[in-house]
Amino acid sequence: MASGKKYITPELAESLAESLDAAHERPPHDTLSDREFQTLVLIGSGKSLSQIAGDLSLSVKTVSVYRARVLEKLRLRHNAELTHYAIKNQLVG
């Protein structure tokens, strides 16, 4: 009996523990596509969207879409946070 307290079955406890371990095994940037990752690294290196577009032979609009996806997947709001993330995770030199 739970005596008014919360009760978690052993199966649920194990499932929760496994999901916590899995979440900490992979950094969030591992979920990015190759182009999204390139965009993250290049923005983190201080390049503008137009410079990145030139470097990758893409349109600025396409690079902007990659940037938006990176921000969404990493739950960031703007380039400053993106740059901080890249530096903190040693993705830029």
Side-chain angles (χ1 to χ4, degrees), residues 29 31-43 56 63 65-70 73-74 82:
H29 59 265
T31 64
L32 301 177
S33 71
D34 289 342
R35 284 294 196 195
E36 291 165 351
F37 184 78
Q38 285 177 314
T39 302
L40 165 64
V41 170
L42 292 170
I43 291 173
L56 300 179
V63 174
V65 169
Y66 288 138
R67 175 190 169 274
R69 288 182 189 164
V70 170
K73 288 181 178 181
L74 299 182
L82 196 148

Side-chain angles (χ1 to χ4, degrees), residues 43-84:
I43 291 173
S45 299
K47 293 205 174 202
S48 69
L49 295 184
S50 58
Q51 289 172 318
I52 295 168
D55 289 351
L56 300 179
S57 300
L58 300 170
S59 74
V60 174
K61 186 172 182 174
T62 300
V63 174
S64 182
V65 169
Y66 288 138
R67 175 190 169 274
R69 288 182 189 164
V70 170
L71 291 173
E72 182 180 341
K73 288 181 178 181
L74 299 182
R75 296 183 180 166
L76 303 172
R77 293 174 293 172
H78 42 71
N79 284 4
E81 287 184 348
L82 196 148
T83 301
H84 180 263

